[in-house]
Amino acid sequence: MKSFFRTKQLLSLFICLVIVSSLAIVKHGELLGHSFRSEQKPQAANNDTLRILGNGTAVINTSALASDITGYGGKVPLNIVIKNGVVENIVALKNDETKEFFDNASALFEKWKGRTIDEAMNMKVDAVTGATFSSKAIIGNMQRGLLYAKNNLQTDESVKGNSSWGSSDNSGSSLFSLRNITGICVVLMAAILPLFVKNRRYHFCQLILNVIVLGFWCGTCLSYSSLLGFAAHGMEISGNIIATVMLITAFIYPLFGKKSHYCTHVCPYGSLQQIAGRGIKYKIRMSPLAIKRLDKVRKLIWALLMVCIWGGVWSEWTDYEPFSAFIFRSASWIVIATALLFIALSFVITRPYCRFVCPMGTLIKLRY
């Protein structure tokens, strides 16, 4: 019996991997960084790393230099315009980032403009609150492009070697930032302690930490947008420890009988619904038949959304999941309104979005 259960769980995990992989290929044209779009090859001539214009201005394209650096939705290539050793302009090339997030993060461009290559390399630039993933991708692209400029452009600046590159690497500093360390501690608490501590008060405190730290401060939730981005472009675990722990609780824990651990103990939006549910004792009573029908509706919604991506009809729906409402400075009003609507419903209906709508939750439920 136990072997049958384990085989069933492994099979469901394999099915989830196949679904996510196929969606990533259709939406992004990549799987773990390997491109499946043959039409991109003729455009390679437009992606030369270095172009020198007639007036001596250098244009550095980071598409190849930072091909391993991804934001929330994928790669974030830049054109860095350098004239007389000074960063004159920065132009974002085509990317799959959510527009609201990227527009917010692109404010970072102004920090580098007017700086010499050495000055720009030595700057410590922090991610924009509310657009962390896009910001980190922009910073990473700038660092790679500036290093390339340092080594390949002749300027009047003294060459100091590459030691400044390591000291100014944002990925290292962000890994040990107070926000990241706190987020890692909270997500590990959510992943481990509920396995041993069965206390209602502790659970409520953990829910609050999930909302404040993982949600509003770190802006990290499992969503289709992030999941497909990881599948398409790969994932640097050392820089995404919080998301890695979330993935383990969502897709690996069910192998050991912990079916809904992520949704119940980790997910910030699920936590916020649970907190709201404790605000009012009165709850709308739904019959088992109504719950069963709503569950079928949830599965139907999920199937239709999957078809939208596979069919290339409306893959942009992944930008409207309510999880991104935690990053409220960048989230669209539609996302914020949707998130607030389901939180309001949570006062009288137990976790309505989780139980009757959530596409991410439906995918996770394929694991059990």
mmCIF file of all heavy atoms in Angstrom, residues 72-97:
data_model
loop_
_atom_site.group_PDB
_atom_site.id
_atom_site.type_symbol
_atom_site.label_atom_id
_atom_site.label_comp_id
_atom_site.label_asym_id
_atom_site.label_seq_id
_atom_site.Cartn_x
_atom_site.Cartn_y
_atom_site.Cartn_z
ATOM 1 N N TYR A 72 11.814 38.487 -12.960
ATOM 2 C CA TYR A 72 10.611 37.755 -12.566
ATOM 3 C C TYR A 72 10.065 36.920 -13.716
ATOM 4 O O TYR A 72 9.605 35.807 -13.528
ATOM 5 C CB TYR A 72 9.550 38.751 -12.097
ATOM 6 C CG TYR A 72 8.433 38.123 -11.314
ATOM 7 C CD1 TYR A 72 8.620 37.734 -9.996
ATOM 8 C CD2 TYR A 72 7.181 37.929 -11.880
ATOM 9 C CE1 TYR A 72 7.600 37.151 -9.263
ATOM 10 C CE2 TYR A 72 6.143 37.353 -11.150
ATOM 11 C CZ TYR A 72 6.364 36.961 -9.846
ATOM 12 O OH TYR A 72 5.353 36.386 -9.136
ATOM 13 N N GLY A 73 10.152 37.483 -14.948
ATOM 14 C CA GLY A 73 9.594 36.779 -16.092
ATOM 15 C C GLY A 73 10.623 36.247 -17.059
ATOM 16 O O GLY A 73 10.284 35.554 -18.009
ATOM 17 N N GLY A 74 11.892 36.534 -16.847
ATOM 18 C CA GLY A 74 12.918 36.044 -17.760
ATOM 19 C C GLY A 74 14.103 36.984 -17.849
ATOM 20 O O GLY A 74 14.373 37.765 -16.938
ATOM 21 N N LYS A 75 14.808 36.921 -18.962
ATOM 22 C CA LYS A 75 16.000 37.736 -19.163
ATOM 23 C C LYS A 75 15.619 39.204 -19.352
ATOM 24 O O LYS A 75 14.559 39.518 -19.881
ATOM 25 C CB LYS A 75 16.776 37.233 -20.382
ATOM 26 C CG LYS A 75 17.230 35.789 -20.248
ATOM 27 C CD LYS A 75 17.842 35.283 -21.537
ATOM 28 C CE LYS A 75 18.172 33.798 -21.416
ATOM 29 N NZ LYS A 75 18.715 33.253 -22.684
ATOM 30 N N VAL A 76 16.522 40.084 -18.928
ATOM 31 C CA VAL A 76 16.286 41.529 -19.013
ATOM 32 C C VAL A 76 17.491 42.197 -19.682
ATOM 33 O O VAL A 76 18.283 42.874 -19.022
ATOM 34 C CB VAL A 76 16.036 42.131 -17.613
ATOM 35 C CG1 VAL A 76 15.701 43.610 -17.731
ATOM 36 C CG2 VAL A 76 14.906 41.399 -16.898
ATOM 37 N N PRO A 77 17.672 41.987 -20.989
ATOM 38 C CA PRO A 77 18.835 42.562 -21.676
ATOM 39 C C PRO A 77 18.753 44.080 -21.789
ATOM 40 O O PRO A 77 17.668 44.659 -21.868
ATOM 41 C CB PRO A 77 18.782 41.904 -23.057
ATOM 42 C CG PRO A 77 17.336 41.605 -23.264
ATOM 43 C CD PRO A 77 16.796 41.234 -21.901
ATOM 44 N N LEU A 78 19.918 44.712 -21.807
ATOM 45 C CA LEU A 78 20.009 46.165 -21.886
ATOM 46 C C LEU A 78 20.989 46.579 -22.968
ATOM 47 O O LEU A 78 21.912 45.844 -23.298
ATOM 48 C CB LEU A 78 20.484 46.754 -20.546
ATOM 49 C CG LEU A 78 19.726 46.402 -19.269
ATOM 50 C CD1 LEU A 78 20.473 46.946 -18.061
ATOM 51 C CD2 LEU A 78 18.306 46.953 -19.314
ATOM 52 N N ASN A 79 20.795 47.755 -23.505
ATOM 53 C CA ASN A 79 21.800 48.437 -24.309
ATOM 54 C C ASN A 79 22.386 49.544 -23.442
ATOM 55 O O ASN A 79 21.663 50.447 -23.014
ATOM 56 C CB ASN A 79 21.194 49.046 -25.576
ATOM 57 C CG ASN A 79 21.250 48.096 -26.751
ATOM 58 O OD1 ASN A 79 21.939 47.079 -26.716
ATOM 59 N ND2 ASN A 79 20.520 48.410 -27.819
ATOM 60 N N ILE A 80 23.688 49.463 -23.172
ATOM 61 C CA ILE A 80 24.367 50.472 -22.358
ATOM 62 C C ILE A 80 25.174 51.372 -23.298
ATOM 63 O O ILE A 80 26.083 50.899 -23.985
ATOM 64 C CB ILE A 80 25.296 49.830 -21.322
ATOM 65 C CG1 ILE A 80 24.511 48.825 -20.452
ATOM 66 C CG2 ILE A 80 25.941 50.896 -20.439
ATOM 67 C CD1 ILE A 80 25.387 48.010 -19.517
ATOM 68 N N VAL A 81 24.819 52.636 -23.346
ATOM 69 C CA VAL A 81 25.462 53.587 -24.255
ATOM 70 C C VAL A 81 26.556 54.340 -23.488
ATOM 71 O O VAL A 81 26.273 55.004 -22.480
ATOM 72 C CB VAL A 81 24.437 54.582 -24.834
ATOM 73 C CG1 VAL A 81 25.110 55.544 -25.819
ATOM 74 C CG2 VAL A 81 23.304 53.824 -25.532
ATOM 75 N N ILE A 82 27.787 54.219 -23.955
ATOM 76 C CA ILE A 82 28.939 54.841 -23.286
ATOM 77 C C ILE A 82 29.663 55.761 -24.264
ATOM 78 O O ILE A 82 30.031 55.347 -25.368
ATOM 79 C CB ILE A 82 29.909 53.769 -22.748
ATOM 80 C CG1 ILE A 82 29.195 52.902 -21.707
ATOM 81 C CG2 ILE A 82 31.155 54.411 -22.152
ATOM 82 C CD1 ILE A 82 30.027 51.759 -21.182
ATOM 83 N N LYS A 83 29.864 56.995 -23.851
ATOM 84 C CA LYS A 83 30.565 57.979 -24.682
ATOM 85 C C LYS A 83 31.658 58.642 -23.854
ATOM 86 O O LYS A 83 31.400 59.151 -22.768
ATOM 87 C CB LYS A 83 29.588 59.034 -25.201
ATOM 88 C CG LYS A 83 30.218 60.019 -26.181
ATOM 89 C CD LYS A 83 29.169 60.970 -26.737
ATOM 90 C CE LYS A 83 29.792 61.925 -27.755
ATOM 91 N NZ LYS A 83 28.788 62.858 -28.318
ATOM 92 N N ASN A 84 32.875 58.600 -24.381
ATOM 93 C CA ASN A 84 34.029 59.181 -23.688
ATOM 94 C C ASN A 84 34.188 58.631 -22.274
ATOM 95 O O ASN A 84 34.496 59.358 -21.329
ATOM 96 C CB ASN A 84 33.926 60.715 -23.641
ATOM 97 C CG ASN A 84 33.926 61.335 -25.029
ATOM 98 O OD1 ASN A 84 34.606 60.847 -25.939
ATOM 99 N ND2 ASN A 84 33.160 62.404 -25.202
ATOM 100 N N GLY A 85 33.920 57.339 -22.132
ATOM 101 C CA GLY A 85 34.094 56.692 -20.836
ATOM 102 C C GLY A 85 33.008 56.960 -19.831
ATOM 103 O O GLY A 85 33.136 56.605 -18.660
ATOM 104 N N VAL A 86 31.912 57.589 -20.258
ATOM 105 C CA VAL A 86 30.806 57.937 -19.355
ATOM 106 C C VAL A 86 29.519 57.269 -19.838
ATOM 107 O O VAL A 86 29.239 57.234 -21.039
ATOM 108 C CB VAL A 86 30.605 59.464 -19.292
ATOM 109 C CG1 VAL A 86 29.379 59.818 -18.452
ATOM 110 C CG2 VAL A 86 31.847 60.136 -18.726
ATOM 111 N N VAL A 87 28.738 56.728 -18.891
ATOM 112 C CA VAL A 87 27.447 56.117 -19.237
ATOM 113 C C VAL A 87 26.485 57.229 -19.645
ATOM 114 O O VAL A 87 26.077 58.051 -18.821
ATOM 115 C CB VAL A 87 26.872 55.326 -18.046
ATOM 116 C CG1 VAL A 87 25.505 54.739 -18.419
ATOM 117 C CG2 VAL A 87 27.831 54.226 -17.623
ATOM 118 N N GLU A 88 26.146 57.252 -20.929
ATOM 119 C CA GLU A 88 25.292 58.317 -21.448
ATOM 120 C C GLU A 88 23.819 57.948 -21.411
ATOM 121 O O GLU A 88 22.956 58.772 -21.144
ATOM 122 C CB GLU A 88 25.697 58.646 -22.888
ATOM 123 C CG GLU A 88 24.984 59.854 -23.481
ATOM 124 C CD GLU A 88 25.496 60.190 -24.868
ATOM 125 O OE1 GLU A 88 25.184 59.415 -25.806
ATOM 126 O OE2 GLU A 88 26.200 61.207 -25.017
ATOM 127 N N ASN A 89 23.532 56.674 -21.664
ATOM 128 C CA ASN A 89 22.129 56.255 -21.697
ATOM 129 C C ASN A 89 22.038 54.752 -21.474
ATOM 130 O O ASN A 89 23.013 54.015 -21.672
ATOM 131 C CB ASN A 89 21.492 56.625 -23.036
ATOM 132 C CG ASN A 89 19.976 56.562 -22.976
ATOM 133 O OD1 ASN A 89 19.374 56.566 -21.898
ATOM 134 N ND2 ASN A 89 19.332 56.509 -24.128
ATOM 135 N N ILE A 90 20.874 54.295 -21.036
ATOM 136 C CA ILE A 90 20.594 52.868 -20.851
ATOM 137 C C ILE A 90 19.220 52.596 -21.452
ATOM 138 O O ILE A 90 18.244 53.278 -21.112
ATOM 139 C CB ILE A 90 20.595 52.481 -19.360
ATOM 140 C CG1 ILE A 90 21.946 52.832 -18.719
ATOM 141 C CG2 ILE A 90 20.302 50.993 -19.191
ATOM 142 C CD1 ILE A 90 21.914 52.808 -17.211
ATOM 143 N N VAL A 91 19.169 51.636 -22.342
ATOM 144 C CA VAL A 91 17.915 51.321 -23.033
ATOM 145 C C VAL A 91 17.553 49.862 -22.773
ATOM 146 O O VAL A 91 18.372 48.960 -22.995
ATOM 147 C CB VAL A 91 18.034 51.561 -24.551
ATOM 148 C CG1 VAL A 91 16.716 51.210 -25.245
ATOM 149 C CG2 VAL A 91 18.432 53.004 -24.826
ATOM 150 N N ALA A 92 16.354 49.626 -22.279
ATOM 151 C CA ALA A 92 15.891 48.260 -22.042
ATOM 152 C C ALA A 92 15.464 47.631 -23.361
ATOM 153 O O ALA A 92 14.723 48.237 -24.145
ATOM 154 C CB ALA A 92 14.723 48.264 -21.064
ATOM 155 N N LEU A 93 15.918 46.415 -23.616
ATOM 156 C CA LEU A 93 15.497 45.666 -24.788
ATOM 157 C C LEU A 93 14.268 44.825 -24.443
ATOM 158 O O LEU A 93 13.812 44.827 -23.304
ATOM 159 C CB LEU A 93 16.650 44.785 -25.281
ATOM 160 C CG LEU A 93 17.943 45.539 -25.626
ATOM 161 C CD1 LEU A 93 19.036 44.566 -26.048
ATOM 162 C CD2 LEU A 93 17.694 46.570 -26.720
ATOM 163 N N LYS A 94 13.751 44.122 -25.394
ATOM 164 C CA LYS A 94 12.518 43.364 -25.192
ATOM 165 C C LYS A 94 12.697 42.333 -24.076
ATOM 166 O O LYS A 94 13.691 41.612 -24.025
ATOM 167 C CB LYS A 94 12.114 42.655 -26.487
ATOM 168 C CG LYS A 94 10.787 41.907 -26.375
ATOM 169 C CD LYS A 94 10.420 41.248 -27.695
ATOM 170 C CE LYS A 94 9.105 40.485 -27.557
ATOM 171 N NZ LYS A 94 8.723 39.803 -28.822
ATOM 172 N N ASN A 95 11.730 42.284 -23.174
ATOM 173 C CA ASN A 95 11.759 41.294 -22.093
ATOM 174 C C ASN A 95 10.344 40.871 -21.739
ATOM 175 O O ASN A 95 9.370 41.439 -22.248
ATOM 176 C CB ASN A 95 12.474 41.865 -20.864
ATOM 177 C CG ASN A 95 11.799 43.119 -20.321
ATOM 178 O OD1 ASN A 95 10.677 43.068 -19.822
ATOM 179 N ND2 ASN A 95 12.481 44.259 -20.433
ATOM 180 N N ASP A 96 10.235 39.882 -20.868
ATOM 181 C CA ASP A 96 8.933 39.338 -20.473
ATOM 182 C C ASP A 96 8.516 39.744 -19.069
ATOM 183 O O ASP A 96 7.639 39.125 -18.466
ATOM 184 C CB ASP A 96 8.949 37.800 -20.556
ATOM 185 C CG ASP A 96 9.066 37.301 -21.981
ATOM 186 O OD1 ASP A 96 8.466 37.928 -22.864
ATOM 187 O OD2 ASP A 96 9.762 36.292 -22.216
ATOM 188 N N GLU A 97 9.147 40.797 -18.531
ATOM 189 C CA GLU A 97 8.771 41.267 -17.197
ATOM 190 C C GLU A 97 7.374 41.894 -17.212
ATOM 191 O O GLU A 97 6.941 42.451 -18.237
ATOM 192 C CB GLU A 97 9.780 42.311 -16.702
ATOM 193 C CG GLU A 97 11.188 41.783 -16.531
ATOM 194 C CD GLU A 97 11.272 40.725 -15.455
ATOM 195 O OE1 GLU A 97 11.318 41.079 -14.268
ATOM 196 O OE2 GLU A 97 11.306 39.531 -15.812
#
